[in-house]
Amino acid sequence: MERKLLHLYDDAMNLYGEYANVSLLARYLTDLGHSVRVETLSLYEKKDISDYDFYYMGAGTERRQKLVLPQLLQYRETLLEAKRRGAVLLFTGNAFELLGSAVTDAEGKRYDCLGFAGFESNETKRRITGDVIARIGDERVVGFMNKCGHTTGVKQPLFHVEFGFGNEEACGDEGWRDGNCFGTHLTGPLLVKNPSMLRRVAKALLGDAFTDTVQYPYMQRGYEMTLSELTKRMEALK
């Protein structure tokens, strides 16, 4: 069976080269023996997006986030139905904020979002940047964060941050997850930096058809080196 992957607004929300998340996932699924097709939905393009197995959106500037939002809202019911049927949705960077109920910009203007959960994001004029170590279950992930606000009201966080900033505070909960829907401010790109997250997303997508038979040694080595250096920085600050 062919697995269909859709990169939403790759032309507008690709601040950190996050097309690599989709490219790597497609390669991994192919190496696992699955047929894969990757497609994109560009800004202002209109098409049927109802039958994909994986939906991805990456980070953009605050201006581009607001530019994309009304286009994205046209597909709200389609994406909600995709979530209900178990398709995997991964939104990284400030695309994550669009999964919540609203974003309020630094001037106080409120933008209604997809409303998949009740959390809200409030922008400030202070930018929060830096590397992050976070934990999901028994696994640790690394990434980079560049945001200008706080996300409040998350009841089902994806990660717990050990080093760096979470949704609301330093070393707090970060991101959001509901079933196969994942949202996080972490970029990097996330799946390229973290072999365990690549496997986690692939397993969510493939279900019982997932077999962990492919390893990428250089990717694993890069992750271990990054985690080691960030752990040293974390320990030095204690």
Side-chain angles (χ1 to χ4, degrees), residues 82-129:
K83 177 177 176 294
R84 289 180 183 136
R85 63 177 165 81
V88 177
L89 287 78
L90 174 61
F91 283 42
T92 62
N94 61 353
F96 152 52
E97 299 170 2
L98 303 183
L99 293 169
S101 61
V103 172
T104 301
D105 68 18
E107 306 304 322
K109 183 175 180 180
R110 179 184 171 91
Y111 298 81
D112 290 331
C113 298
L114 289 171
F116 285 8
F119 63 83
E120 297 190 9
S121 299
N122 293 275
E123 296 176 3
T124 69
K125 295 185 178 179
R126 172 177 171 260
R127 187 162 290 280
I128 299 167
T129 61

Side-chain angles (χ1 to χ4, degrees), residues 43-59:
L43 191 62
Y44 305 122
E45 181 182 6
K46 300 238 186 326
K47 70 178 181 180
D48 181 3
I49 64 166
S50 61
D51 63 343
Y52 292 87
D53 303 290
F54 176 78
Y55 299 80
Y56 176 75
M57 187 189 297

